Amino acid sequence: MTRWTTAALLAVLSLTGLTACSGDDSPSSVASKVASAASRAGDAVSSATAEAGRRFDGINNGVDAGDDVRLGTPATASDGRTTVEVTAANRAGSAKSFAVQVDFTDEAGKLLDAVVVTVRDVPAGGSGKGTARSTHDLSGDVRAKVSRAVRY
């Protein structure tokens, strides 16, 4: 069993309350519930990615700033969410804000979540910080990468 299948199975078991004594724990029933849980997880990632796209669509006169953004090391907060510090360096001649899409992935690069962080009013020649926070609990070896960044 892959790690994802195991995780999905555990999610189904916890969500549905299956036990060894349940009335419908046939292999096909469990497989169906695992597939359903995996689909819901995929829907959550699709929803987060779509929301990130909408946030970027609302930015006018933005400039690609991917080279001006750095991420810290992802950590799990006390509530189970994954967080990572975002630092944006403003190389422009006036104060600017940054929109940064952070993708949380597993060690194989599979997308687990996507969030957009806004770092506002970064002074000219200075840097600003923000924190990207996953929209749901993530497990395993979670990594973070800048998917896109815009200075405006």
Side-chain angles (χ1 to χ4, degrees), residues 13 54 58 75 79 98:
L13 292 174
R54 283 190 289 277
D79 65 356
F98 292 76

Side-chain angles (χ1 to χ4, degrees), residues 90-101:
N90 184 6
R91 301 174 201 267
S94 62
K96 299 289 182 182
S97 294
F98 292 76
V100 181
Q101 179 177 336

Side-chain angles (χ1 to χ4, degrees), residues 107-125:
E107 67 268 8
K110 180 177 178 179
L111 184 63
L112 303 173
D113 200 1
V115 297
V116 176
V117 175
T118 303
V119 181
R120 298 190 187 283
D121 303 321
V122 180

Side-chain angles (χ1 to χ4, degrees), residues 15-37:
L15 291 172
T16 62
L18 281 178
T19 66
C21 299
S22 71
D24 188 20
D25 59 356
S26 68
S28 63
S29 173
V30 171
S32 174
K33 290 175 182 176
V34 167
S36 178

Side-chain angles (χ1 to χ4, degrees), residues 70-105:
R70 299 287 176 257
L71 299 179
T73 302
T76 302
S78 60
D79 65 356
R81 303 292 171 95
T82 301
T83 62
V84 66
E85 184 175 76
V86 177
T87 303
N90 184 6
R91 301 174 201 267
S94 62
K96 299 289 182 182
S97 294
F98 292 76
V100 181
Q101 179 177 336
V102 176
D103 289 351
F104 292 103
T105 65

